[in-house]
């Protein structure tokens, strides 16, 4: 399903279940590390990129946080 999001939307935090990935259509999303998700940026994703998939592949909770840097749209992949 497609969803629109505003800047600063949190898609997931460390420890959240890895039950979906996202395909970005517009906007940018950053991944940050650390136990609280406030550590250094580990990735920056833009249109056409997929994020959150590693938790699905590895069948484990998220290790990073994903936050929208700017407004956009994405499809949820389960």
């Amino acid at each position: 399903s497609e969803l629109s999001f505003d800047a600063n939307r949190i898609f997931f935090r460390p420890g959240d279940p890895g039950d979906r990935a996202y395909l970005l259509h517009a906007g940018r999303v950053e991944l940050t590390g650390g136990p609280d998700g406030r550590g250094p940026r580990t990735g920056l994703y833009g249109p056409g990129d997929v994020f959150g998939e590693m938790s699905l592949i590895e069948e484990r909770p998220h290790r990073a946080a994903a936050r929208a840097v700017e407004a956009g749209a994405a499809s949820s992949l389960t």
Side-chain angles (χ1 to χ4, degrees):
S1 64
E2 190 164 325
L3 60 110
S4 296
F5 56 86
D6 294 326
N8 293 315
R9 178 197 167 136
I10 303 296
F11 288 89
F12 50 81
R13 292 182 168 85
D16 285 352
D19 57 357
R20 71 189 68 227
Y22 298 90
L23 170 61
L24 277 175
H25 302 294
R28 291 188 305 157
V29 172
E30 70 175 355
L31 263 60
T32 55
D36 60 0
R38 296 176 189 232
R41 179 185 285 175
T42 58
L44 182 63
Y45 299 88
D49 291 335
V50 174
F51 66 97
E53 78 285 0
M54 289 310 297
S55 287
L56 286 172
I57 292 168
E58 296 177 357
E59 298 179 343
R60 61 164 172 76
H62 290 285
R63 294 184 186 170
R67 181 186 70 85
V69 175
E70 60 189 39
S75 293
S76 175
L77 311 171
T78 55

